[in-house]
Amino acid sequence: MSTKVVLASVAGVLALHAGALHFMGQPWISTSGIVSLWEGRVYSAENSQQLTDWYTFSHIIHGFLFYWFLSVVAPRLSWTSRLFLAMGLEVGWELLENSPFIINRYRETALALGYSGDSILNSVSDVVAMCLGFMCARFMPVIAVVVLALCMELGTGYLIRDNLTLNVLNLIDPIPAVQVWQGGAPLR
């Protein structure tokens, strides 16, 4: 595939994703009307509403993981085919994440008490972040990607008391002591 075809196809997937979220009732941008490149306040109504936030790092890691997983399970597919499969997985997650069931599940955790789902802007940006992670995994040495993933996981864990690992843990089987720590108390 030519670069133009790949880019047009990626844009098409993102447009379909945005349309699906719009159909689900998600707002295009934050209900405050603010659009910014970064939202660094975790306990803010603007979290998961702007182009990027602390959870963007998790989506980059999704890209790393999807690249490696699809390289193992579908090694004969071209990298572009694997990219579109990864986009399908990420878009599927984003649609599920913005369903009432997952929104309510997140609201039960310490860091997402007022969560109402992502803006379309944020959700589409999350898919773009996954694509960035996928491309990094494709072109960077494995050790560099592993170090980058560890830095992102440990860094966000330290700075905001949340990361991809804790997010998955809280979604599947929350541990009360971890939730207390995420709310600001030290672990005992």
Side-chain angles (χ1 to χ4, degrees), residues 11-126:
V13 170
L14 294 174
L16 288 171
H17 171 56
L21 287 171
H22 178 68
F23 179 75
M24 291 170 62
Q26 292 306 110
W28 286 97
I29 62 171
S30 170
T31 55
S32 70
I34 296 169
V35 174
S36 65
L37 177 62
W38 169 258
E39 177 53 55
R41 297 169 297 156
V42 176
Y43 297 104
S44 165
E46 297 302 313
N47 196 39
S48 296
Q49 303 301 303
Q50 302 304 327
L51 275 164
T52 60
D53 55 37
W54 286 105
Y55 298 97
T56 301
F57 298 110
S58 292
H59 294 281
I60 293 170
I61 294 171
H62 289 176
F64 299 161
L65 297 172
F66 291 158
Y67 178 82
W68 290 329
F69 173 74
L70 292 170
S71 293
V72 169
V73 299
R76 292 184 182 187
L77 290 180
S78 68
W79 74 268
T80 53
S81 296
R82 291 194 304 262
L83 173 63
F84 292 120
L85 283 172
M87 287 184 75
L89 291 169
E90 189 72 3
V91 166
W93 165 248
E94 286 293 319
L95 295 175
L96 181 63
E97 181 183 37
N98 285 285
S99 69
F101 175 76
I102 298 295
I103 289 172
N104 289 331
R105 184 77 174 160
Y106 274 144
R107 285 181 184 160
E108 296 170 3
T109 67
L111 295 178
L113 296 176
Y115 182 66
S116 61
D118 298 351
S119 69
I120 295 170
L121 174 71
N122 178 265
S123 187
V124 168
S125 294
D126 288 345

